Amino acid sequence: MKNKIFNTNDDWTGFVIRLTLGLILFPHGAQKMFGWFGGPGFSKEVEHLTEYMHLPWIISVMVILAEFWGSVSLIMGLASRLWSVAFGVLFVNIIFIAHLENGFFMNWFGTQKGEGYEYHLLVIGLCIALGLNGSGKYSADQLISKK
């Protein structure tokens, strides 16, 4: 089981995919967790997810923790396959819970009711690629799988 989670190739592909995904998701997780980058912070985000999105409290907390710590783990290359599955599941659910009704395209010009799901499909694609490839060069997974 350890080998399936931590095994990785010594390649640049996994490195680029995990850094791209981790660095894109980190600000979103930090907004939710700490209120950085103009975000609401932990308690206000839990309130938003439970009251407005109607998610159970425990799911709301898990989303925030996963988005922050998962992005940090991806940047470090720690359990990237596991995090890619978690983020893939999360983003599929985000599409159906919050964005499907707004259509495909992002709301670049403020003319739609809300944001579409094209960004989410890009994240899901990166998650699939990372899950298949592994963390790549300069990753904690590489160190763990060699032991």
Side-chain angles (χ1 to χ4, degrees), residues 13-61:
T13 304
F15 174 81
V16 170
I17 294 169
R18 76 176 162 84
L19 277 185
T20 301
L21 194 55
L23 291 171
I24 285 172
L25 294 176
F26 177 77
H28 294 281
Q31 284 180 318
K32 292 173 177 75
M33 181 74 94
F34 301 115
W36 296 352
F37 308 108
F42 189 82
S43 60
K44 287 185 180 178
E45 185 64 22
V46 168
E47 181 181 319
H48 170 75
L49 292 173
T50 55
E51 292 182 17
Y52 180 71
M53 302 306 295
H54 309 293
L55 295 175
W57 178 85
I58 191 69
I59 299 295
S60 301
V61 169

Side-chain angles (χ1 to χ4, degrees), residues 49-120:
L49 292 173
T50 55
E51 292 182 17
Y52 180 71
M53 302 306 295
H54 309 293
L55 295 175
W57 178 85
I58 191 69
I59 299 295
S60 301
V61 169
M62 288 172 56
V63 164
I64 296 166
L65 293 175
E67 215 169 306
F68 179 74
W69 290 111
S71 64
V72 171
S73 294
L74 286 178
I75 292 166
M76 294 176 10
L78 179 61
S80 294
R81 283 194 162 104
L82 188 67
W83 285 113
S84 70
V85 170
F87 280 125
V89 169
L90 176 64
F91 274 78
V92 165
N93 281 290
I94 290 170
I95 288 172
F96 286 105
I97 291 170
H99 296 280
L100 191 62
E101 66 187 30
N102 299 321
F104 177 77
F105 293 103
M106 300 288 293
N107 192 12
W108 293 107
F109 304 107
T111 56
Q112 297 171 194
K113 179 182 170 195
E115 297 292 342
Y117 54 87
E118 67 179 314
Y119 162 78
H120 303 81

Side-chain angles (χ1 to χ4, degrees), residues 10-19 129-130 133-137:
D10 184 26
D11 64 6
W12 290 103
T13 304
F15 174 81
V16 170
I17 294 169
R18 76 176 162 84
L19 277 185
L130 186 60
N133 190 81
S135 295
K137 286 188 171 295

